[in-house]
Amino acid sequence: MNVKTLENKLFTAKSSQSILDSALQAGIVFDYSCKTGQCGVCKVKLLQGEIETLQVQIALTEQDKVSNKILTCCCAPKTDILIDAKDLSALHGIEVKTLPARINAIKRHTTEIIEVTLRLPPTANLKFLEGQYLDVIHNNIRRSYSIASTANQKEITLLIKRFENGKMSDYWFNQAKENDLLRIEGPKGTFFLRDESMPLIFLATGTGIAPIISILKSLDANEGFKQEHDISVYWGNRYPEEFIWQPEFKKLNVTFVKVCSKPNQDWLEDVGYVQDVALAKQPNIVGSAVYACGSTSYDHFWCMT
Ligand code: FES
């Protein structure tokens, strides 16, 4: 079956494979994050033809369905189709690799959050755009984590939150030690800085701050970047001790707002939820780009207002 986009990109797709995977195989990159139908990042409009759903399109609303929206990670073409997806050329040449990785260090920030640095083989040559994520595979368990380091750093840094009764959490928090051998697969996802020439608003909850740390550090290190617009970061956590990162930049001027939903009596900063506090402090976001990232890699998105 042929899949065509409004930009006249054309590729063939199997009926047993998602449109997204067929596109990726053909070297075309559409927006995506979770690949499981939950985040809605891969939503596009079906303009012609018919599709078959391979997995439930959880993120589609009734309104989306009426408007012929589909999730490219969940559907395969039944006939030749035309969709309004955009090819993200910034990701061309970024290859998904499966590589061995050893744990270099584990830093315990709290009983619930650790920071893990991984070292890759010297020949790995892993390229990624700051904001992307990767999968870590251990004992046949696979979990996705956003990268908190930048592409020019030698090691990969991940922020990991404990999930109750999680198998991978059990490994990370009870068994993992330096030099353990893991496998990684990545980079993945299309969460990256699209355009820095406008005001930027970053919203994060929990360890969802990781890709934002990566993006901001790389912007700070970019000699060609001259900040002309406001950059704001709103970071939400449940408890005060979960604010394990404080921005320190050489040249970036960032408004950093910490929002705690279950503060103790010593908490002097904002209270509530990030989205509410951000809207209260910046009611006029027209003309800004908003990047939001939750504590799992399943809910990254960006939008231009
Ligand atoms: S819903 Fe398709 S990538 Fe998340």
Side-chain angles (χ1 to χ4, degrees), residues 148-171:
S149 43
T150 57
N152 60 5
Q153 287 182 284
K154 269 214 275 196
E155 284 151 4
I156 300 276
T157 303
L158 309 173
L159 292 179
I160 297 172
K161 172 143 174 79
R162 184 203 294 272
F163 280 92
E164 220 174 291
N165 303 321
K167 280 192 198 154
M168 197 69 162
S169 286
D170 180 46
Y171 167 69

PDB file of all heavy atoms in Angstrom, residues 148-171:
ATOM      1  N   ALA A 148      19.011  13.049  29.957  1.00  0.00           N
ATOM      2  CA  ALA A 148      19.189  14.350  30.618  1.00  0.00           C
ATOM      3  C   ALA A 148      20.509  14.997  30.231  1.00  0.00           C
ATOM      4  O   ALA A 148      20.735  16.171  30.514  1.00  0.00           O
ATOM      5  CB  ALA A 148      19.120  14.180  32.136  1.00  0.00           C
ATOM      6  N   SER A 149      21.393  14.233  29.609  1.00  0.00           N
ATOM      7  CA  SER A 149      22.690  14.792  29.193  1.00  0.00           C
ATOM      8  C   SER A 149      22.576  15.363  27.783  1.00  0.00           C
ATOM      9  O   SER A 149      21.541  15.216  27.130  1.00  0.00           O
ATOM     10  CB  SER A 149      23.763  13.704  29.256  1.00  0.00           C
ATOM     11  OG  SER A 149      23.266  12.507  28.722  1.00  0.00           O
ATOM     12  N   THR A 150      23.664  15.959  27.321  1.00  0.00           N
ATOM     13  CA  THR A 150      23.634  16.531  25.969  1.00  0.00           C
ATOM     14  C   THR A 150      24.430  15.634  25.013  1.00  0.00           C
ATOM     15  O   THR A 150      25.205  14.788  25.453  1.00  0.00           O
ATOM     16  CB  THR A 150      24.236  17.955  25.957  1.00  0.00           C
ATOM     17  OG1 THR A 150      25.565  17.873  26.472  1.00  0.00           O
ATOM     18  CG2 THR A 150      23.431  18.906  26.792  1.00  0.00           C
ATOM     19  N   ALA A 151      24.212  15.863  23.729  1.00  0.00           N
ATOM     20  CA  ALA A 151      24.791  14.966  22.733  1.00  0.00           C
ATOM     21  C   ALA A 151      26.318  15.020  22.719  1.00  0.00           C
ATOM     22  O   ALA A 151      26.959  14.066  22.304  1.00  0.00           O
ATOM     23  CB  ALA A 151      24.238  15.304  21.358  1.00  0.00           C
ATOM     24  N   ASN A 152      26.897  16.125  23.187  1.00  0.00           N
ATOM     25  CA  ASN A 152      28.362  16.172  23.137  1.00  0.00           C
ATOM     26  C   ASN A 152      29.003  15.682  24.438  1.00  0.00           C
ATOM     27  O   ASN A 152      30.215  15.728  24.591  1.00  0.00           O
ATOM     28  CB  ASN A 152      28.862  17.574  22.757  1.00  0.00           C
ATOM     29  CG  ASN A 152      28.418  18.603  23.759  1.00  0.00           C
ATOM     30  OD1 ASN A 152      27.825  18.252  24.779  1.00  0.00           O
ATOM     31  ND2 ASN A 152      28.683  19.865  23.485  1.00  0.00           N
ATOM     32  N   GLN A 153      28.199  15.187  25.379  1.00  0.00           N
ATOM     33  CA  GLN A 153      28.783  14.614  26.593  1.00  0.00           C
ATOM     34  C   GLN A 153      29.122  13.151  26.337  1.00  0.00           C
ATOM     35  O   GLN A 153      28.415  12.480  25.555  1.00  0.00           O
ATOM     36  CB  GLN A 153      27.805  14.732  27.760  1.00  0.00           C
ATOM     37  CG  GLN A 153      27.692  16.166  28.262  1.00  0.00           C
ATOM     38  CD  GLN A 153      26.747  16.277  29.453  1.00  0.00           C
ATOM     39  OE1 GLN A 153      25.532  16.228  29.313  1.00  0.00           O
ATOM     40  NE2 GLN A 153      27.323  16.415  30.622  1.00  0.00           N
ATOM     41  N   LYS A 154      30.148  12.664  27.004  1.00  0.00           N
ATOM     42  CA  LYS A 154      30.590  11.290  26.718  1.00  0.00           C
ATOM     43  C   LYS A 154      29.595  10.275  27.268  1.00  0.00           C
ATOM     44  O   LYS A 154      29.381   9.217  26.702  1.00  0.00           O
ATOM     45  CB  LYS A 154      31.959  11.061  27.356  1.00  0.00           C
ATOM     46  CG  LYS A 154      33.088  11.405  26.405  1.00  0.00           C
ATOM     47  CD  LYS A 154      34.266  10.504  26.615  1.00  0.00           C
ATOM     48  CE  LYS A 154      35.120  10.965  27.667  1.00  0.00           C
ATOM     49  NZ  LYS A 154      36.188  10.964  28.268  1.00  0.00           N
ATOM     50  N   GLU A 155      29.019  10.599  28.416  1.00  0.00           N
ATOM     51  CA  GLU A 155      28.119   9.632  29.037  1.00  0.00           C
ATOM     52  C   GLU A 155      26.668  10.047  28.892  1.00  0.00           C
ATOM     53  O   GLU A 155      26.356  11.219  28.699  1.00  0.00           O
ATOM     54  CB  GLU A 155      28.460   9.502  30.520  1.00  0.00           C
ATOM     55  CG  GLU A 155      29.725   8.683  30.700  1.00  0.00           C
ATOM     56  CD  GLU A 155      30.491   9.061  31.928  1.00  0.00           C
ATOM     57  OE1 GLU A 155      30.014   9.915  32.690  1.00  0.00           O
ATOM     58  OE2 GLU A 155      31.571   8.492  32.111  1.00  0.00           O
ATOM     59  N   ILE A 156      25.804   9.065  29.031  1.00  0.00           N
ATOM     60  CA  ILE A 156      24.366   9.305  28.954  1.00  0.00           C
ATOM     61  C   ILE A 156      23.838   9.375  30.385  1.00  0.00           C
ATOM     62  O   ILE A 156      24.117   8.482  31.195  1.00  0.00           O
ATOM     63  CB  ILE A 156      23.676   8.103  28.254  1.00  0.00           C
ATOM     64  CG1 ILE A 156      24.217   7.910  26.848  1.00  0.00           C
ATOM     65  CG2 ILE A 156      22.172   8.205  28.309  1.00  0.00           C
ATOM     66  CD1 ILE A 156      23.587   8.766  25.814  1.00  0.00           C
ATOM     67  N   THR A 157      23.096  10.419  30.697  1.00  0.00           N
ATOM     68  CA  THR A 157      22.527  10.529  32.041  1.00  0.00           C
ATOM     69  C   THR A 157      21.024  10.351  31.987  1.00  0.00           C
ATOM     70  O   THR A 157      20.350  10.932  31.120  1.00  0.00           O
ATOM     71  CB  THR A 157      22.860  11.909  32.655  1.00  0.00           C
ATOM     72  OG1 THR A 157      24.276  12.060  32.654  1.00  0.00           O
ATOM     73  CG2 THR A 157      22.347  12.043  34.077  1.00  0.00           C
ATOM     74  N   LEU A 158      20.506   9.551  32.910  1.00  0.00           N
ATOM     75  CA  LEU A 158      19.054   9.324  32.986  1.00  0.00           C
ATOM     76  C   LEU A 158      18.597   9.647  34.407  1.00  0.00           C
ATOM     77  O   LEU A 158      19.312   9.362  35.373  1.00  0.00           O
ATOM     78  CB  LEU A 158      18.725   7.849  32.702  1.00  0.00           C
ATOM     79  CG  LEU A 158      19.325   7.232  31.434  1.00  0.00           C
ATOM     80  CD1 LEU A 158      19.028   5.734  31.408  1.00  0.00           C
ATOM     81  CD2 LEU A 158      18.747   7.900  30.188  1.00  0.00           C
ATOM     82  N   LEU A 159      17.400  10.218  34.533  1.00  0.00           N
ATOM     83  CA  LEU A 159      16.798  10.388  35.857  1.00  0.00           C
ATOM     84  C   LEU A 159      15.712   9.330  35.972  1.00  0.00           C
ATOM     85  O   LEU A 159      14.838   9.237  35.097  1.00  0.00           O
ATOM     86  CB  LEU A 159      16.162  11.773  35.997  1.00  0.00           C
ATOM     87  CG  LEU A 159      17.115  12.964  36.018  1.00  0.00           C
ATOM     88  CD1 LEU A 159      16.327  14.263  36.150  1.00  0.00           C
ATOM     89  CD2 LEU A 159      18.116  12.844  37.159  1.00  0.00           C
ATOM     90  N   ILE A 160      15.753   8.562  37.028  1.00  0.00           N
ATOM     91  CA  ILE A 160      14.837   7.423  37.121  1.00  0.00           C
ATOM     92  C   ILE A 160      14.019   7.496  38.400  1.00  0.00           C
ATOM     93  O   ILE A 160      14.569   7.675  39.492  1.00  0.00           O
ATOM     94  CB  ILE A 160      15.636   6.105  37.057  1.00  0.00           C
ATOM     95  CG1 ILE A 160      16.325   6.036  35.688  1.00  0.00           C
ATOM     96  CG2 ILE A 160      14.734   4.894  37.285  1.00  0.00           C
ATOM     97  CD1 ILE A 160      17.293   4.911  35.534  1.00  0.00           C
ATOM     98  N   LYS A 161      12.714   7.372  38.215  1.00  0.00           N
ATOM     99  CA  LYS A 161      11.820   7.426  39.378  1.00  0.00           C
ATOM    100  C   LYS A 161      11.334   6.022  39.688  1.00  0.00           C
ATOM    101  O   LYS A 161      11.087   5.224  38.788  1.00  0.00           O
ATOM    102  CB  LYS A 161      10.629   8.330  39.023  1.00  0.00           C
ATOM    103  CG  LYS A 161       9.543   8.325  40.053  1.00  0.00           C
ATOM    104  CD  LYS A 161       8.930   9.683  40.209  1.00  0.00           C
ATOM    105  CE  LYS A 161       7.732   9.635  41.137  1.00  0.00           C
ATOM    106  NZ  LYS A 161       8.097   9.596  42.532  1.00  0.00           N
ATOM    107  N   ARG A 162      11.207   5.739  40.966  1.00  0.00           N
ATOM    108  CA  ARG A 162      10.738   4.412  41.368  1.00  0.00           C
ATOM    109  C   ARG A 162       9.231   4.277  41.121  1.00  0.00           C
ATOM    110  O   ARG A 162       8.460   5.193  41.427  1.00  0.00           O
ATOM    111  CB  ARG A 162      10.998   4.219  42.861  1.00  0.00           C
ATOM    112  CG  ARG A 162      10.626   2.834  43.366  1.00  0.00           C
ATOM    113  CD  ARG A 162      10.373   2.853  44.854  1.00  0.00           C
ATOM    114  NE  ARG A 162      11.544   3.155  45.638  1.00  0.00           N
ATOM    115  CZ  ARG A 162      12.414   2.231  46.071  1.00  0.00           C
ATOM    116  NH1 ARG A 162      12.234   0.973  45.796  1.00  0.00           N
ATOM    117  NH2 ARG A 162      13.449   2.598  46.802  1.00  0.00           N
ATOM    118  N   PHE A 163       8.838   3.183  40.537  1.00  0.00           N
ATOM    119  CA  PHE A 163       7.415   2.874  40.405  1.00  0.00           C
ATOM    120  C   PHE A 163       7.115   1.710  41.326  1.00  0.00           C
ATOM    121  O   PHE A 163       7.827   0.706  41.307  1.00  0.00           O
ATOM    122  CB  PHE A 163       7.055   2.518  38.952  1.00  0.00           C
ATOM    123  CG  PHE A 163       6.900   3.740  38.101  1.00  0.00           C
ATOM    124  CD1 PHE A 163       7.972   4.249  37.394  1.00  0.00           C
ATOM    125  CD2 PHE A 163       5.684   4.414  38.046  1.00  0.00           C
ATOM    126  CE1 PHE A 163       7.849   5.399  36.637  1.00  0.00           C
ATOM    127  CE2 PHE A 163       5.554   5.569  37.297  1.00  0.00           C
ATOM    128  CZ  PHE A 163       6.630   6.059  36.586  1.00  0.00           C
ATOM    129  N   GLU A 164       6.084   1.857  42.112  1.00  0.00           N
ATOM    130  CA  GLU A 164       5.778   0.814  43.087  1.00  0.00           C
ATOM    131  C   GLU A 164       5.545  -0.524  42.391  1.00  0.00           C
ATOM    132  O   GLU A 164       4.803  -0.593  41.405  1.00  0.00           O
ATOM    133  CB  GLU A 164       4.540   1.219  43.883  1.00  0.00           C
ATOM    134  CG  GLU A 164       4.699   0.855  45.334  1.00  0.00           C
ATOM    135  CD  GLU A 164       3.543   1.389  46.122  1.00  0.00           C
ATOM    136  OE1 GLU A 164       3.475   2.623  46.249  1.00  0.00           O
ATOM    137  OE2 GLU A 164       2.709   0.569  46.553  1.00  0.00           O
ATOM    138  N   ASN A 165       6.167  -1.538  42.877  1.00  0.00           N
ATOM    139  CA  ASN A 165       6.062  -2.901  42.326  1.00  0.00           C
ATOM    140  C   ASN A 165       6.547  -3.011  40.889  1.00  0.00           C
ATOM    141  O   ASN A 165       6.252  -4.001  40.216  1.00  0.00           O
ATOM    142  CB  ASN A 165       4.621  -3.442  42.414  1.00  0.00           C
ATOM    143  CG  ASN A 165       4.118  -3.439  43.829  1.00  0.00           C
ATOM    144  OD1 ASN A 165       4.880  -3.747  44.745  1.00  0.00           O
ATOM    145  ND2 ASN A 165       2.869  -3.063  44.030  1.00  0.00           N
ATOM    146  N   GLY A 166       7.258  -2.012  40.406  1.00  0.00           N
ATOM    147  CA  GLY A 166       7.771  -2.076  39.033  1.00  0.00           C
ATOM    148  C   GLY A 166       8.973  -3.016  38.968  1.00  0.00           C
ATOM    149  O   GLY A 166       9.860  -2.950  39.816  1.00  0.00           O
ATOM    150  N   LYS A 167       8.984  -3.883  37.953  1.00  0.00           N
ATOM    151  CA  LYS A 167      10.093  -4.850  37.835  1.00  0.00           C
ATOM    152  C   LYS A 167      11.408  -4.136  37.568  1.00  0.00           C
ATOM    153  O   LYS A 167      12.444  -4.496  38.106  1.00  0.00           O
ATOM    154  CB  LYS A 167       9.807  -5.797  36.663  1.00  0.00           C
ATOM    155  CG  LYS A 167       8.850  -6.903  37.006  1.00  0.00           C
ATOM    156  CD  LYS A 167       8.881  -7.927  35.875  1.00  0.00           C
ATOM    157  CE  LYS A 167       7.640  -8.792  35.949  1.00  0.00           C
ATOM    158  NZ  LYS A 167       7.275  -9.350  34.671  1.00  0.00           N
ATOM    159  N   MET A 168      11.347  -3.141  36.695  1.00  0.00           N
ATOM    160  CA  MET A 168      12.590  -2.426  36.385  1.00  0.00           C
ATOM    161  C   MET A 168      12.993  -1.562  37.588  1.00  0.00           C
ATOM    162  O   MET A 168      14.186  -1.398  37.857  1.00  0.00           O
ATOM    163  CB  MET A 168      12.382  -1.578  35.131  1.00  0.00           C
ATOM    164  CG  MET A 168      13.643  -1.129  34.479  1.00  0.00           C
ATOM    165  SD  MET A 168      14.574  -2.485  33.721  1.00  0.00           S
ATOM    166  CE  MET A 168      15.643  -1.553  32.641  1.00  0.00           C
ATOM    167  N   SER A 169      12.001  -1.026  38.299  1.00  0.00           N
ATOM    168  CA  SER A 169      12.317  -0.246  39.503  1.00  0.00           C
ATOM    169  C   SER A 169      13.030  -1.122  40.519  1.00  0.00           C
ATOM    170  O   SER A 169      13.957  -0.685  41.198  1.00  0.00           O
ATOM    171  CB  SER A 169      11.046   0.312  40.143  1.00  0.00           C
ATOM    172  OG  SER A 169      10.556   1.378  39.390  1.00  0.00           O
ATOM    173  N   ASP A 170      12.592  -2.362  40.608  1.00  0.00           N
ATOM    174  CA  ASP A 170      13.228  -3.277  41.548  1.00  0.00           C
ATOM    175  C   ASP A 170      14.709  -3.421  41.178  1.00  0.00           C
ATOM    176  O   ASP A 170      15.585  -3.404  42.043  1.00  0.00           O
ATOM    177  CB  ASP A 170      12.509  -4.637  41.510  1.00  0.00           C
ATOM    178  CG  ASP A 170      13.152  -5.613  42.469  1.00  0.00           C
ATOM    179  OD1 ASP A 170      13.418  -5.199  43.611  1.00  0.00           O
ATOM    180  OD2 ASP A 170      13.438  -6.761  42.067  1.00  0.00           O
ATOM    181  N   TYR A 171      14.959  -3.543  39.878  1.00  0.00           N
ATOM    182  CA  TYR A 171      16.363  -3.638  39.446  1.00  0.00           C
ATOM    183  C   TYR A 171      17.116  -2.355  39.804  1.00  0.00           C
ATOM    184  O   TYR A 171      18.137  -2.381  40.490  1.00  0.00           O
ATOM    185  CB  TYR A 171      16.453  -3.918  37.937  1.00  0.00           C
ATOM    186  CG  TYR A 171      17.852  -3.702  37.438  1.00  0.00           C
ATOM    187  CD1 TYR A 171      18.883  -4.564  37.817  1.00  0.00           C
ATOM    188  CD2 TYR A 171      18.172  -2.587  36.661  1.00  0.00           C
ATOM    189  CE1 TYR A 171      20.195  -4.339  37.414  1.00  0.00           C
ATOM    190  CE2 TYR A 171      19.486  -2.356  36.252  1.00  0.00           C
ATOM    191  CZ  TYR A 171      20.481  -3.233  36.634  1.00  0.00           C
ATOM    192  OH  TYR A 171      21.786  -2.988  36.254  1.00  0.00           O
TER     193      TYR A 171
END
